[in-house]
Amino acid sequence: MAGELSRQRVSDLISQKVLAIGDGYRAKNSEMSLAGIPFARAGNIDGGFLFNDADLIDISSIPVPKEKLSYPGDTVFTSKGTVGRFAFVKHDTRQFVYSPQLCYWRSLDKNLIDPKYLYYWLSGPEFYAQYKGVSGQTDMAEYVSLGDQRQMWISLPDPADQTAIGEVLGLLDDKIDVNRRMAATVEEMAEAVFKSWFVDFDPVHAKVERRDPRLAADIAALFPDRFDGNGVPEGWTNAPLLQHARLISGGTPNTDELAYWDGPISWASARDVSQCPDRFLIGTERTITQKGLDESATRMVPALSTVVVARGATTGRHCLFGREMAMNQTCYALSSSNETPFWLACAFSRLVDALVRGAHGSVFDTITTTTLGTARVVDGGQALTVAFETSVAPMYRRILGLVQEASKLRTLRDTLLPKLISGELRIKDAEKAVAA
């Protein structure tokens, strides 16, 4: 790299009006409305912005300070509770109000600090090491204060190099985003088939009305041509969920025993499951050894199992395990007992909101074994379940492939970042690696 690398204290950059850091607006419940702009919390930040279920706040009637509003070029950092999520505010990102769970870093002089570079630096190992060093200082949930952030240090290459780094790494993120959108589209297709067959009963309605179900003859033959008195296809049952799945609980090896940790076995926590941005979880923050597995309550969960967070603030968040791994006791796994894991995943996704509404706990909602034991699903019979599985399995395999490819791209991005910042790797060489 042509320019020199400087290391600056964040507080100095703030005093020089080159950088701004702020947190969110402490809104009252009464200020939430049915119209307005999103009031963004940590749960709405996931590499991007998930505003479908966000609360809204009408800033035309609520005097929200301007510094609590998002602006293009901001990098969002979740600084309370679920610490360590990031997102970049693009020009087409809907404006939102920051909640107190969030902080923003904002370049005030783009000739000195490139906003996209700032986002990648915050997402990288240097900032990670600094915020992890202070996030667990209290007995409460993890928290990184504005004061702590102001005392940190940031590495700043030459501005031209900052821009180049942002552009190179941005190409990888663009591809990751394409993969995610493709996976989401494929998943919507699979879920649409499940809804049509097992929720709306479209093929049965077609037969009742003497219409073509528009299915292969062998599959169409599996659907009855009438409904029973309860509006369910004739011959179908309301079966227990656990008739189709084996329930697996987790555990945590003793955290004081070093021999149990940092081994070859992935160990999923509630955080891993709740923060999984994809349909499949394929990597975890922590790993354990075979000794840790053998001498604790945790056990191996088969690949393609549906795993749900059973207690805490993120109760009900769920995903599929993309490969065999262990998990902790705040999660339950459902492993298909008849080799139809994707049918099971779709059926559970339909149930989970009701399970969370029926959950109970002293502080947070809790899904128990009793809750899962009483859950029931509409069952059209093994032959139809297998037919559905055969139809959608290629879709889910495609999703898993896209997730795995995106994971490799993230690894490449995270590997390139510190090397580009330090000058160990030239921009031209990084461009060749990205192109390859």
Side-chain angles (χ1 to χ4, degrees), residues 127-173:
F127 183 60
Y128 176 85
Q130 293 184 81
Y131 81 71
K132 287 300 286 186
V134 298
S135 62
Q137 294 182 125
T138 70
D139 294 332
M140 306 295 286
E142 284 192 316
Y143 172 53
V144 184
S145 70
L146 288 178
D148 288 330
Q149 293 175 59
R150 292 187 183 106
Q151 296 307 308
M152 293 178 181
W153 294 82
I154 179 173
S155 294
L156 292 175
D158 179 90
D161 291 333
Q162 292 181 37
T163 301
I165 290 171
E167 290 175 350
V168 170
L169 299 182
L171 292 174
L172 291 172
D173 271 341

mmCIF file of all heavy atoms in Angstrom, residues 127-173:
data_model
loop_
_atom_site.group_PDB
_atom_site.id
_atom_site.type_symbol
_atom_site.label_atom_id
_atom_site.label_comp_id
_atom_site.label_asym_id
_atom_site.label_seq_id
_atom_site.Cartn_x
_atom_site.Cartn_y
_atom_site.Cartn_z
ATOM 1 N N PHE A 127 -11.098 -3.918 16.505
ATOM 2 C CA PHE A 127 -12.189 -3.402 17.329
ATOM 3 C C PHE A 127 -12.758 -4.503 18.216
ATOM 4 O O PHE A 127 -13.088 -4.272 19.386
ATOM 5 C CB PHE A 127 -13.287 -2.803 16.439
ATOM 6 C CG PHE A 127 -14.422 -2.172 17.205
ATOM 7 C CD1 PHE A 127 -14.190 -1.125 18.071
ATOM 8 C CD2 PHE A 127 -15.721 -2.638 17.059
ATOM 9 C CE1 PHE A 127 -15.233 -0.535 18.789
ATOM 10 C CE2 PHE A 127 -16.758 -2.066 17.768
ATOM 11 C CZ PHE A 127 -16.521 -1.024 18.635
ATOM 12 N N TYR A 128 -12.851 -5.732 17.676
ATOM 13 C CA TYR A 128 -13.360 -6.862 18.459
ATOM 14 C C TYR A 128 -12.555 -7.040 19.744
ATOM 15 O O TYR A 128 -13.118 -7.183 20.837
ATOM 16 C CB TYR A 128 -13.315 -8.135 17.620
ATOM 17 C CG TYR A 128 -13.728 -9.382 18.369
ATOM 18 C CD1 TYR A 128 -15.074 -9.742 18.473
ATOM 19 C CD2 TYR A 128 -12.779 -10.207 18.969
ATOM 20 C CE1 TYR A 128 -15.461 -10.886 19.162
ATOM 21 C CE2 TYR A 128 -13.158 -11.350 19.660
ATOM 22 C CZ TYR A 128 -14.494 -11.682 19.750
ATOM 23 O OH TYR A 128 -14.870 -12.812 20.446
ATOM 24 N N ALA A 129 -11.227 -7.035 19.623
ATOM 25 C CA ALA A 129 -10.375 -7.229 20.797
ATOM 26 C C ALA A 129 -10.602 -6.134 21.829
ATOM 27 O O ALA A 129 -10.601 -6.390 23.047
ATOM 28 C CB ALA A 129 -8.907 -7.267 20.373
ATOM 29 N N GLN A 130 -10.846 -4.914 21.368
ATOM 30 C CA GLN A 130 -11.035 -3.799 22.293
ATOM 31 C C GLN A 130 -12.391 -3.850 22.989
ATOM 32 O O GLN A 130 -12.488 -3.660 24.197
ATOM 33 C CB GLN A 130 -10.857 -2.470 21.552
ATOM 34 C CG GLN A 130 -9.433 -2.241 21.069
ATOM 35 C CD GLN A 130 -9.257 -0.881 20.427
ATOM 36 O OE1 GLN A 130 -9.092 0.131 21.114
ATOM 37 N NE2 GLN A 130 -9.281 -0.833 19.103
ATOM 38 N N TYR A 131 -13.464 -4.141 22.218
ATOM 39 C CA TYR A 131 -14.766 -4.128 22.887
ATOM 40 C C TYR A 131 -14.980 -5.381 23.736
ATOM 41 O O TYR A 131 -15.663 -5.322 24.768
ATOM 42 C CB TYR A 131 -15.910 -3.883 21.901
ATOM 43 C CG TYR A 131 -16.423 -5.047 21.087
ATOM 44 C CD1 TYR A 131 -17.156 -6.086 21.667
ATOM 45 C CD2 TYR A 131 -16.245 -5.079 19.697
ATOM 46 C CE1 TYR A 131 -17.657 -7.129 20.906
ATOM 47 C CE2 TYR A 131 -16.745 -6.114 18.936
ATOM 48 C CZ TYR A 131 -17.451 -7.130 19.548
ATOM 49 O OH TYR A 131 -17.956 -8.164 18.783
ATOM 50 N N LYS A 132 -14.390 -6.518 23.357
ATOM 51 C CA LYS A 132 -14.518 -7.709 24.195
ATOM 52 C C LYS A 132 -13.789 -7.520 25.517
ATOM 53 O O LYS A 132 -14.167 -8.108 26.532
ATOM 54 C CB LYS A 132 -13.965 -8.934 23.474
ATOM 55 C CG LYS A 132 -14.824 -9.441 22.336
ATOM 56 C CD LYS A 132 -16.221 -9.854 22.782
ATOM 57 C CE LYS A 132 -16.238 -11.165 23.525
ATOM 58 N NZ LYS A 132 -17.631 -11.615 23.826
ATOM 59 N N GLY A 133 -12.771 -6.676 25.516
ATOM 60 C CA GLY A 133 -12.023 -6.432 26.741
ATOM 61 C C GLY A 133 -12.785 -5.637 27.783
ATOM 62 O O GLY A 133 -12.428 -5.651 28.966
ATOM 63 N N VAL A 134 -13.859 -4.952 27.364
ATOM 64 C CA VAL A 134 -14.611 -4.126 28.314
ATOM 65 C C VAL A 134 -16.079 -4.529 28.429
ATOM 66 O O VAL A 134 -16.771 -4.063 29.337
ATOM 67 C CB VAL A 134 -14.535 -2.627 27.915
ATOM 68 C CG1 VAL A 134 -13.104 -2.133 27.941
ATOM 69 C CG2 VAL A 134 -15.157 -2.383 26.531
ATOM 70 N N SER A 135 -16.564 -5.401 27.546
ATOM 71 C CA SER A 135 -18.004 -5.687 27.488
ATOM 72 C C SER A 135 -18.512 -6.472 28.682
ATOM 73 O O SER A 135 -19.701 -6.429 28.996
ATOM 74 C CB SER A 135 -18.346 -6.436 26.203
ATOM 75 O OG SER A 135 -17.679 -7.688 26.159
ATOM 76 N N GLY A 136 -17.629 -7.217 29.371
ATOM 77 C CA GLY A 136 -18.085 -8.029 30.493
ATOM 78 C C GLY A 136 -17.694 -7.483 31.840
ATOM 79 O O GLY A 136 -17.563 -8.240 32.809
ATOM 80 N N GLN A 137 -17.560 -6.173 31.939
ATOM 81 C CA GLN A 137 -17.072 -5.573 33.186
ATOM 82 C C GLN A 137 -18.133 -5.504 34.276
ATOM 83 O O GLN A 137 -17.817 -5.291 35.440
ATOM 84 C CB GLN A 137 -16.537 -4.160 32.917
ATOM 85 C CG GLN A 137 -15.295 -4.139 32.041
ATOM 86 C CD GLN A 137 -14.755 -2.744 31.829
ATOM 87 O OE1 GLN A 137 -13.606 -2.454 32.088
ATOM 88 N NE2 GLN A 137 -15.601 -1.861 31.353
ATOM 89 N N THR A 138 -19.398 -5.687 33.934
ATOM 90 C CA THR A 138 -20.469 -5.628 34.924
ATOM 91 C C THR A 138 -21.078 -7.007 35.100
ATOM 92 O O THR A 138 -20.859 -7.915 34.303
ATOM 93 C CB THR A 138 -21.573 -4.639 34.481
ATOM 94 O OG1 THR A 138 -22.275 -5.198 33.358
ATOM 95 C CG2 THR A 138 -20.981 -3.309 34.086
ATOM 96 N N ASP A 139 -21.874 -7.153 36.163
ATOM 97 C CA ASP A 139 -22.570 -8.413 36.412
ATOM 98 C C ASP A 139 -23.841 -8.510 35.585
ATOM 99 O O ASP A 139 -24.488 -9.556 35.563
ATOM 100 C CB ASP A 139 -22.924 -8.532 37.908
ATOM 101 C CG ASP A 139 -21.681 -8.657 38.778
ATOM 102 O OD1 ASP A 139 -20.673 -9.174 38.277
ATOM 103 O OD2 ASP A 139 -21.735 -8.232 39.946
ATOM 104 N N MET A 140 -24.204 -7.433 34.954
ATOM 105 C CA MET A 140 -25.405 -7.417 34.118
ATOM 106 C C MET A 140 -25.053 -7.949 32.732
ATOM 107 O O MET A 140 -24.003 -8.548 32.532
ATOM 108 C CB MET A 140 -25.950 -5.991 34.039
ATOM 109 C CG MET A 140 -26.207 -5.344 35.389
ATOM 110 S SD MET A 140 -27.519 -6.165 36.312
ATOM 111 C CE MET A 140 -28.942 -5.577 35.381
ATOM 112 N N ALA A 141 -25.951 -7.740 31.762
ATOM 113 C CA ALA A 141 -25.690 -8.174 30.396
ATOM 114 C C ALA A 141 -24.496 -7.411 29.830
ATOM 115 O O ALA A 141 -24.113 -6.350 30.331
ATOM 116 C CB ALA A 141 -26.928 -7.936 29.526
ATOM 117 N N GLU A 142 -23.896 -7.971 28.789
ATOM 118 C CA GLU A 142 -22.740 -7.328 28.163
ATOM 119 C C GLU A 142 -23.084 -5.896 27.757
ATOM 120 O O GLU A 142 -24.188 -5.614 27.304
ATOM 121 C CB GLU A 142 -22.291 -8.121 26.935
ATOM 122 C CG GLU A 142 -21.531 -9.383 27.263
ATOM 123 C CD GLU A 142 -20.864 -9.947 26.019
ATOM 124 O OE1 GLU A 142 -21.527 -9.987 24.972
ATOM 125 O OE2 GLU A 142 -19.691 -10.343 26.096
ATOM 126 N N TYR A 143 -22.111 -5.008 27.899
ATOM 127 C CA TYR A 143 -22.347 -3.591 27.616
ATOM 128 C C TYR A 143 -21.023 -2.917 27.299
ATOM 129 O O TYR A 143 -20.025 -3.112 27.994
ATOM 130 C CB TYR A 143 -23.007 -2.938 28.840
ATOM 131 C CG TYR A 143 -23.144 -1.438 28.758
ATOM 132 C CD1 TYR A 143 -23.747 -0.829 27.659
ATOM 133 C CD2 TYR A 143 -22.697 -0.623 29.795
ATOM 134 C CE1 TYR A 143 -23.885 0.551 27.588
ATOM 135 C CE2 TYR A 143 -22.839 0.759 29.744
ATOM 136 C CZ TYR A 143 -23.428 1.334 28.638
ATOM 137 O OH TYR A 143 -23.560 2.697 28.569
ATOM 138 N N VAL A 144 -21.014 -2.135 26.224
ATOM 139 C CA VAL A 144 -19.842 -1.348 25.854
ATOM 140 C C VAL A 144 -20.278 0.114 25.851
ATOM 141 O O VAL A 144 -21.024 0.542 24.972
ATOM 142 C CB VAL A 144 -19.293 -1.753 24.474
ATOM 143 C CG1 VAL A 144 -18.020 -0.977 24.170
ATOM 144 C CG2 VAL A 144 -19.019 -3.248 24.407
ATOM 145 N N SER A 145 -19.831 0.860 26.830
ATOM 146 C CA SER A 145 -20.292 2.242 26.990
ATOM 147 C C SER A 145 -19.658 3.160 25.950
ATOM 148 O O SER A 145 -18.626 2.842 25.346
ATOM 149 C CB SER A 145 -19.948 2.753 28.394
ATOM 150 O OG SER A 145 -18.538 2.942 28.516
ATOM 151 N N LEU A 146 -20.280 4.338 25.782
ATOM 152 C CA LEU A 146 -19.698 5.344 24.892
ATOM 153 C C LEU A 146 -18.339 5.785 25.417
ATOM 154 O O LEU A 146 -17.408 6.037 24.644
ATOM 155 C CB LEU A 146 -20.635 6.541 24.772
ATOM 156 C CG LEU A 146 -21.922 6.344 23.964
ATOM 157 C CD1 LEU A 146 -22.750 7.623 23.996
ATOM 158 C CD2 LEU A 146 -21.606 5.968 22.528
ATOM 159 N N GLY A 147 -18.217 5.868 26.734
ATOM 160 C CA GLY A 147 -16.928 6.244 27.314
ATOM 161 C C GLY A 147 -15.841 5.250 26.966
ATOM 162 O O GLY A 147 -14.707 5.645 26.631
ATOM 163 N N ASP A 148 -16.171 3.961 27.034
ATOM 164 C CA ASP A 148 -15.201 2.933 26.649
ATOM 165 C C ASP A 148 -14.816 3.064 25.184
ATOM 166 O O ASP A 148 -13.643 2.936 24.813
ATOM 167 C CB ASP A 148 -15.780 1.534 26.902
ATOM 168 C CG ASP A 148 -15.853 1.195 28.378
ATOM 169 O OD1 ASP A 148 -15.019 1.701 29.145
ATOM 170 O OD2 ASP A 148 -16.751 0.406 28.751
ATOM 171 N N GLN A 149 -15.815 3.327 24.346
ATOM 172 C CA GLN A 149 -15.543 3.417 22.911
ATOM 173 C C GLN A 149 -14.662 4.627 22.597
ATOM 174 O O GLN A 149 -13.795 4.560 21.725
ATOM 175 C CB GLN A 149 -16.863 3.495 22.143
ATOM 176 C CG GLN A 149 -17.684 2.210 22.232
ATOM 177 C CD GLN A 149 -19.036 2.333 21.575
ATOM 178 O OE1 GLN A 149 -19.135 2.609 20.385
ATOM 179 N NE2 GLN A 149 -20.095 2.139 22.341
ATOM 180 N N ARG A 150 -14.857 5.705 23.310
ATOM 181 C CA ARG A 150 -14.060 6.912 23.049
ATOM 182 C C ARG A 150 -12.594 6.724 23.411
ATOM 183 O O ARG A 150 -11.724 7.407 22.872
ATOM 184 C CB ARG A 150 -14.643 8.094 23.821
ATOM 185 C CG ARG A 150 -16.018 8.550 23.333
ATOM 186 C CD ARG A 150 -16.460 9.822 24.025
ATOM 187 N NE ARG A 150 -17.794 10.223 23.618
ATOM 188 C CZ ARG A 150 -18.894 10.099 24.381
ATOM 189 N NH1 ARG A 150 -18.791 9.605 25.606
ATOM 190 N NH2 ARG A 150 -20.070 10.474 23.940
ATOM 191 N N GLN A 151 -12.314 5.782 24.315
ATOM 192 C CA GLN A 151 -10.930 5.546 24.727
ATOM 193 C C GLN A 151 -10.210 4.534 23.840
ATOM 194 O O GLN A 151 -9.036 4.230 24.072
ATOM 195 C CB GLN A 151 -10.906 5.068 26.185
ATOM 196 C CG GLN A 151 -11.410 6.104 27.181
ATOM 197 C CD GLN A 151 -10.701 7.437 27.032
ATOM 198 O OE1 GLN A 151 -9.466 7.495 27.027
ATOM 199 N NE2 GLN A 151 -11.466 8.513 26.882
ATOM 200 N N MET A 152 -10.885 4.033 22.838
ATOM 201 C CA MET A 152 -10.273 3.042 21.965
ATOM 202 C C MET A 152 -9.366 3.698 20.928
ATOM 203 O O MET A 152 -9.333 4.918 20.783
ATOM 204 C CB MET A 152 -11.371 2.217 21.284
ATOM 205 C CG MET A 152 -12.161 1.351 22.256
ATOM 206 S SD MET A 152 -13.488 0.444 21.443
ATOM 207 C CE MET A 152 -14.214 -0.412 22.842
ATOM 208 N N TRP A 153 -8.655 2.829 20.205
ATOM 209 C CA TRP A 153 -7.753 3.266 19.147
ATOM 210 C C TRP A 153 -8.218 2.700 17.818
ATOM 211 O O TRP A 153 -8.726 1.582 17.756
ATOM 212 C CB TRP A 153 -6.320 2.796 19.428
ATOM 213 C CG TRP A 153 -5.704 3.421 20.642
ATOM 214 C CD1 TRP A 153 -5.886 3.034 21.943
ATOM 215 C CD2 TRP A 153 -4.831 4.550 20.672
ATOM 216 N NE1 TRP A 153 -5.181 3.853 22.795
ATOM 217 C CE2 TRP A 153 -4.510 4.789 22.040
ATOM 218 C CE3 TRP A 153 -4.278 5.374 19.695
ATOM 219 C CZ2 TRP A 153 -3.668 5.816 22.439
ATOM 220 C CZ3 TRP A 153 -3.434 6.399 20.108
ATOM 221 C CH2 TRP A 153 -3.137 6.615 21.452
ATOM 222 N N ILE A 154 -8.030 3.476 16.759
ATOM 223 C CA ILE A 154 -8.417 3.027 15.427
ATOM 224 C C ILE A 154 -7.224 3.168 14.482
ATOM 225 O O ILE A 154 -6.486 4.155 14.539
ATOM 226 C CB ILE A 154 -9.636 3.828 14.897
ATOM 227 C CG1 ILE A 154 -10.026 3.356 13.488
ATOM 228 C CG2 ILE A 154 -9.358 5.330 14.906
ATOM 229 C CD1 ILE A 154 -11.330 3.986 12.996
ATOM 230 N N SER A 155 -7.036 2.184 13.636
ATOM 231 C CA SER A 155 -5.973 2.225 12.628
ATOM 232 C C SER A 155 -6.521 2.842 11.352
ATOM 233 O O SER A 155 -7.537 2.379 10.823
ATOM 234 C CB SER A 155 -5.454 0.813 12.340
ATOM 235 O OG SER A 155 -4.817 0.279 13.482
ATOM 236 N N LEU A 156 -5.842 3.866 10.858
ATOM 237 C CA LEU A 156 -6.295 4.582 9.666
ATOM 238 C C LEU A 156 -5.198 4.615 8.612
ATOM 239 O O LEU A 156 -4.204 5.332 8.754
ATOM 240 C CB LEU A 156 -6.695 6.017 10.029
ATOM 241 C CG LEU A 156 -7.938 6.183 10.906
ATOM 242 C CD1 LEU A 156 -8.119 7.644 11.278
ATOM 243 C CD2 LEU A 156 -9.172 5.645 10.185
ATOM 244 N N PRO A 157 -5.361 3.834 7.542
ATOM 245 C CA PRO A 157 -4.441 3.966 6.411
ATOM 246 C C PRO A 157 -4.674 5.294 5.699
ATOM 247 O O PRO A 157 -5.568 6.067 6.058
ATOM 248 C CB PRO A 157 -4.834 2.779 5.506
ATOM 249 C CG PRO A 157 -5.692 1.884 6.351
ATOM 250 C CD PRO A 157 -6.354 2.779 7.345
ATOM 251 N N ASP A 158 -3.884 5.526 4.685
ATOM 252 C CA ASP A 158 -4.087 6.688 3.829
ATOM 253 C C ASP A 158 -5.532 6.681 3.318
ATOM 254 O O ASP A 158 -6.080 5.629 2.999
ATOM 255 C CB ASP A 158 -3.096 6.624 2.660
ATOM 256 C CG ASP A 158 -3.266 7.788 1.710
ATOM 257 O OD1 ASP A 158 -2.623 8.818 1.916
ATOM 258 O OD2 ASP A 158 -4.054 7.642 0.751
ATOM 259 N N PRO A 159 -6.212 7.847 3.230
ATOM 260 C CA PRO A 159 -7.618 7.880 2.791
ATOM 261 C C PRO A 159 -7.876 7.162 1.467
ATOM 262 O O PRO A 159 -8.914 6.497 1.317
ATOM 263 C CB PRO A 159 -7.909 9.383 2.682
ATOM 264 C CG PRO A 159 -7.007 10.000 3.706
ATOM 265 C CD PRO A 159 -5.752 9.179 3.663
ATOM 266 N N ALA A 160 -6.955 7.279 0.511
ATOM 267 C CA ALA A 160 -7.148 6.585 -0.766
ATOM 268 C C ALA A 160 -7.144 5.072 -0.566
ATOM 269 O O ALA A 160 -7.906 4.338 -1.204
ATOM 270 C CB ALA A 160 -6.056 6.988 -1.757
ATOM 271 N N ASP A 161 -6.285 4.600 0.339
ATOM 272 C CA ASP A 161 -6.234 3.175 0.633
ATOM 273 C C ASP A 161 -7.480 2.727 1.394
ATOM 274 O O ASP A 161 -7.968 1.611 1.209
ATOM 275 C CB ASP A 161 -4.981 2.845 1.432
ATOM 276 C CG ASP A 161 -3.716 2.996 0.608
ATOM 277 O OD1 ASP A 161 -3.788 2.845 -0.622
ATOM 278 O OD2 ASP A 161 -2.649 3.272 1.194
ATOM 279 N N GLN A 162 -7.999 3.602 2.253
ATOM 280 C CA GLN A 162 -9.252 3.278 2.941
ATOM 281 C C GLN A 162 -10.362 3.014 1.923
ATOM 282 O O GLN A 162 -11.099 2.024 2.023
ATOM 283 C CB GLN A 162 -9.674 4.436 3.842
ATOM 284 C CG GLN A 162 -8.796 4.686 5.047
ATOM 285 C CD GLN A 162 -9.331 5.839 5.873
ATOM 286 O OE1 GLN A 162 -10.540 6.011 6.014
ATOM 287 N NE2 GLN A 162 -8.433 6.648 6.415
ATOM 288 N N THR A 163 -10.461 3.896 0.951
ATOM 289 C CA THR A 163 -11.503 3.750 -0.069
ATOM 290 C C THR A 163 -11.315 2.462 -0.852
ATOM 291 O O THR A 163 -12.283 1.734 -1.122
ATOM 292 C CB THR A 163 -11.486 4.953 -1.024
ATOM 293 O OG1 THR A 163 -11.701 6.155 -0.273
ATOM 294 C CG2 THR A 163 -12.556 4.827 -2.091
ATOM 295 N N ALA A 164 -10.058 2.161 -1.205
ATOM 296 C CA ALA A 164 -9.776 0.946 -1.966
ATOM 297 C C ALA A 164 -10.120 -0.301 -1.157
ATOM 298 O O ALA A 164 -10.671 -1.267 -1.684
ATOM 299 C CB ALA A 164 -8.307 0.922 -2.379
ATOM 300 N N ILE A 165 -9.793 -0.295 0.137
ATOM 301 C CA ILE A 165 -10.128 -1.430 1.000
ATOM 302 C C ILE A 165 -11.641 -1.620 1.053
ATOM 303 O O ILE A 165 -12.148 -2.743 0.944
ATOM 304 C CB ILE A 165 -9.552 -1.210 2.420
ATOM 305 C CG1 ILE A 165 -8.031 -1.317 2.387
ATOM 306 C CG2 ILE A 165 -10.138 -2.216 3.405
ATOM 307 C CD1 ILE A 165 -7.358 -0.900 3.687
ATOM 308 N N GLY A 166 -12.365 -0.526 1.219
ATOM 309 C CA GLY A 166 -13.821 -0.610 1.253
ATOM 310 C C GLY A 166 -14.396 -1.177 -0.024
ATOM 311 O O GLY A 166 -15.347 -1.968 -0.006
ATOM 312 N N GLU A 167 -13.827 -0.783 -1.160
ATOM 313 C CA GLU A 167 -14.331 -1.266 -2.446
ATOM 314 C C GLU A 167 -14.049 -2.754 -2.642
ATOM 315 O O GLU A 167 -14.920 -3.507 -3.094
ATOM 316 C CB GLU A 167 -13.710 -0.452 -3.583
ATOM 317 C CG GLU A 167 -14.215 0.988 -3.637
ATOM 318 C CD GLU A 167 -13.504 1.818 -4.698
ATOM 319 O OE1 GLU A 167 -12.495 1.319 -5.249
ATOM 320 O OE2 GLU A 167 -13.946 2.955 -4.960
ATOM 321 N N VAL A 168 -12.839 -3.190 -2.290
ATOM 322 C CA VAL A 168 -12.487 -4.604 -2.465
ATOM 323 C C VAL A 168 -13.351 -5.492 -1.573
ATOM 324 O O VAL A 168 -13.924 -6.489 -2.032
ATOM 325 C CB VAL A 168 -10.993 -4.827 -2.157
ATOM 326 C CG1 VAL A 168 -10.677 -6.319 -2.095
ATOM 327 C CG2 VAL A 168 -10.137 -4.168 -3.218
ATOM 328 N N LEU A 169 -13.432 -5.145 -0.301
ATOM 329 C CA LEU A 169 -14.219 -5.961 0.613
ATOM 330 C C LEU A 169 -15.717 -5.845 0.311
ATOM 331 O O LEU A 169 -16.481 -6.783 0.550
ATOM 332 C CB LEU A 169 -13.934 -5.555 2.055
ATOM 333 C CG LEU A 169 -12.469 -5.724 2.496
ATOM 334 C CD1 LEU A 169 -12.315 -5.348 3.961
ATOM 335 C CD2 LEU A 169 -11.983 -7.152 2.262
ATOM 336 N N GLY A 170 -16.109 -4.697 -0.240
ATOM 337 C CA GLY A 170 -17.501 -4.518 -0.622
ATOM 338 C C GLY A 170 -17.938 -5.486 -1.711
ATOM 339 O O GLY A 170 -19.095 -5.915 -1.748
ATOM 340 N N LEU A 171 -17.012 -5.849 -2.608
ATOM 341 C CA LEU A 171 -17.338 -6.829 -3.642
ATOM 342 C C LEU A 171 -17.703 -8.163 -3.023
ATOM 343 O O LEU A 171 -18.624 -8.857 -3.476
ATOM 344 C CB LEU A 171 -16.145 -6.993 -4.598
ATOM 345 C CG LEU A 171 -15.810 -5.784 -5.476
ATOM 346 C CD1 LEU A 171 -14.530 -6.041 -6.261
ATOM 347 C CD2 LEU A 171 -16.962 -5.487 -6.433
ATOM 348 N N LEU A 172 -16.970 -8.559 -1.972
ATOM 349 C CA LEU A 172 -17.288 -9.803 -1.285
ATOM 350 C C LEU A 172 -18.640 -9.716 -0.585
ATOM 351 O O LEU A 172 -19.449 -10.644 -0.654
ATOM 352 C CB LEU A 172 -16.190 -10.137 -0.271
ATOM 353 C CG LEU A 172 -14.830 -10.530 -0.854
ATOM 354 C CD1 LEU A 172 -13.797 -10.644 0.258
ATOM 355 C CD2 LEU A 172 -14.923 -11.839 -1.623
ATOM 356 N N ASP A 173 -18.887 -8.591 0.067
ATOM 357 C CA ASP A 173 -20.171 -8.431 0.745
ATOM 358 C C ASP A 173 -21.333 -8.406 -0.245
ATOM 359 O O ASP A 173 -22.428 -8.891 0.060
ATOM 360 C CB ASP A 173 -20.169 -7.153 1.585
ATOM 361 C CG ASP A 173 -19.652 -7.387 2.987
ATOM 362 O OD1 ASP A 173 -19.631 -8.556 3.422
ATOM 363 O OD2 ASP A 173 -19.249 -6.418 3.653
#
